[in-house]
Amino acid sequence: MGKVILVGAGPGDKELITVKGLKAIKEADVIVYDDLIDKDLLNYNKNAELIYVGKRKGRHSYKQEDINKILIEKAKEGKTVVRLKGGDPFIFGRGGEEILALKEHNIPYEIIPGLSSATALPALAEIPLTHRKVARSFTVLTAHIEDGEVDFTKFNGDTLVILMGITKLKKIVNDLLKVRDKKTPIAIILKGATKEQKVIRGTLEDILDKAKNIEPPGIIVVGEVVNILQKN
Ligand SMILES: C[S@@+](CC[C@H](N)C(=O)[O-])C[C@H]1O[C@@H](n2cnc3c(N)ncnc32)[C@H](O)[C@@H]1O
């Protein structure tokens, strides 16, 4: 029997993976990978079988059950399988579902966490998610749910970090304007930790004008911390 190692690749830049995650990649027989990982990571192992299971436009998109099946079958063949995911596998990454499937089939597994886009990208954009006397809590949420729409008025951390929200920016801003001041700072970090990273800063009042025609992937950060390091 082989095993499955669930590895978080970190966001964007390949150098944001952990030492342990990189070691697992180098030792893998099979690497099952998604979008949003730095594909250069795959060059660290020239011998592994590479299986892409992401959702790139125009290509067959794998259902979660198909991915689980691949992991189980390859491990049963005696292979060491690295399941490589962007950011941290347990933050909106469906890592939990894959581990449950492995448990059900008695497949040995290991978990190697990764830096999540939710915390690493604000840091790279010089936004501390907490800051003494300014923000004592932060809430990470997804803007994408399968059944219906998210009500963004319901989330009340000092700082909000919203994933999968770029195409829903208008609804996010309109909801937040009902519960937060219109001067509340907001930042949008697009293609974070890549050469094309772009950070757009504004307020709830003007961000829709500043951020026209933007495309995923991106995260949205809301709260006073957005500008705390911008002053002098
Ligand atoms: C399915 S979620 C996976 C999150 C991932 N597990 C993590 O911890 O970062 C995908 C979302 O993560 C965010 N994301 C991940 N990598 C990103 C990057 N390099 N730049 C901007 N946003 C990113 C975006 O909001 C994107 O829509």
Side-chain angles (χ1 to χ4, degrees):
M1 178 68 87
K3 67 174 171 182
V4 175
I5 312 177
L6 181 62
V7 178
D13 185 354
K14 65 177 186 296
E15 296 196 352
L16 292 176
I17 196 168
T18 62
V19 174
K20 203 165 182 174
L22 187 57
K23 185 164 172 267
I25 287 178
K26 288 179 178 167
E27 291 170 4
D29 299 313
V30 183
I31 303 175
V32 181
Y33 67 100
D34 282 340
D35 293 313
L36 294 183
I37 63 150
D38 184 335
K39 306 294 179 296
D40 281 352
L41 281 170
L42 304 173
N43 293 330
Y44 285 105
N45 185 333
K46 296 285 184 202
N47 302 316
E49 179 188 356
L50 302 179
I51 306 178
Y52 169 73
V53 293
K55 294 184 185 125
R56 209 175 296 148
K57 280 180 203 147
R59 285 180 65 165
H60 170 73
S61 132
Y62 283 79
K63 293 200 188 81
Q64 189 59 51
E65 305 85 78
D66 300 335
I67 298 171
N68 296 348
K69 216 165 137 201
I70 293 171
L71 300 178
I72 291 160
E73 276 172 9
K74 294 289 177 187
K76 281 189 174 164
E77 285 169 19
K79 308 271 171 61
T80 297
V81 184
V82 159
R83 174 68 177 109
L84 189 60
K85 286 173 173 282
D88 183 89
F90 282 178
I91 298 188
F92 303 123
R94 304 189 76 167
E97 289 167 59
E98 294 180 11
I99 296 297
L100 283 174
L102 298 173
K103 277 178 178 288
E104 212 175 290
H105 290 82
N106 293 315
I107 307 290
Y109 61 83
E110 243 180 82
I111 299 163
I112 303 180
L115 278 175
S116 177
S117 60
T119 52
L121 298 185
L124 289 171
E126 299 194 9
I127 301 173
L129 293 182
T130 66
H131 192 81
R132 206 157 58 93
K133 296 188 180 160
V134 176
R136 294 191 168 93
S137 66
F138 63 90
T139 302
V140 178
L141 62 137
T142 175
H144 178 81
I145 50 174
E146 274 150 25
D147 40 358
E149 292 278 353
V150 179
D151 178 356
F152 297 97
T153 63
K154 294 219 168 103
F155 298 91
N156 51 12
D158 295 323
T159 306
L160 296 183
V161 182
I162 306 173
L163 272 64
M164 290 173 269
I166 298 305
T167 58
K168 302 212 158 71
L169 184 63
K170 200 168 171 193
K171 156 102 170 112
I172 293 169
V173 169
N174 288 336
D175 277 7
L176 292 180
L177 279 169
K178 291 178 196 157
V179 289
R180 292 182 189 234
D181 191 274
K182 62 185 180 188
K183 298 284 180 213
T184 304
I186 175 168
I188 301 174
I189 306 168
L190 300 164
K191 293 191 182 163
T194 72
K195 288 191 189 85
E196 294 135 86
Q197 170 169 304
K198 191 171 173 200
V199 181
I200 304 170
R201 285 183 158 84
T203 60
L204 288 178
E205 196 178 27
D206 64 15
I207 195 71
L208 291 176
D209 284 332
K210 287 184 168 177
K212 286 193 172 128
N213 303 321
I214 55 171
E215 283 186 15
I219 68 161
I220 298 164
V221 186
V222 181
E224 293 304 322
V225 289
V226 162
N227 292 329
I228 207 84
L229 302 186
Q230 300 298 304
K231 295 162 192 160
N232 301 316

